[in-house]
Amino acid sequence: VMLVIASYTGFWVPAAAAPARVALAFLCFLMVLTNLQAVETKLPPLKLTHHIWLIDFLAGCMLFCFASLLEYALVHVGLADVAKKAAAEADNKKYQEVNMRE
């Protein structure tokens, strides 16, 4: 649970600091994955019909950490799109000013 909370603290990091946000979420994802693999190696071989709550819980935690990575990607794409539109508007405004002077 602490690793999922740690990965979601990245939402308080500024959106422009994408490497910091991704590194925080990715490290938490890898730690949960390592814990999941450690639990699976310690267990004896089981039939596929048995569910172990700890494995299900860690898989859910891993999904939440991965979801935060996807959210960071969506925010980054959105910010890039906004910056691209702002640059296009600035270029268009400069072009109109140059044409009005002539």
Side-chain angles (χ1 to χ4, degrees):
V1 175
M2 295 296 288
L3 292 172
V4 175
I5 293 170
S7 73
Y8 274 81
T9 58
F11 291 115
W12 282 294
V13 176
R21 296 174 69 159
V22 171
L24 180 65
F26 192 67
L27 285 174
C28 291
F29 176 78
L30 288 178
M31 284 188 231
V32 172
L33 181 64
T34 302
N35 287 338
L36 179 63
Q37 289 176 343
V39 167
E40 286 176 343
T41 58
K42 300 267 183 189
L43 290 174
L46 299 170
K47 294 180 182 177
L48 293 176
T49 58
H50 290 115
H51 289 283
I52 301 187
W53 71 270
L54 186 58
I55 291 176
D56 295 338
F57 177 76
L58 288 172
C61 289
M62 193 171 61
L63 286 174
F64 278 111
C65 289
F66 188 72
S68 70
L69 281 169
L70 290 178
E71 291 175 36
Y72 295 154
L74 289 173
V75 167
H76 184 68
V77 167
L79 286 176
D81 189 43
V82 167
K84 190 176 182 182
K85 285 180 183 178
E89 286 179 13
D91 288 344
N92 191 15
K93 199 179 260 188
K94 283 182 182 179
Y95 179 74
Q96 288 177 354
E97 288 176 3
V98 168
N99 284 340
M100 291 185 90
R101 289 181 188 168
E102 293 177 356

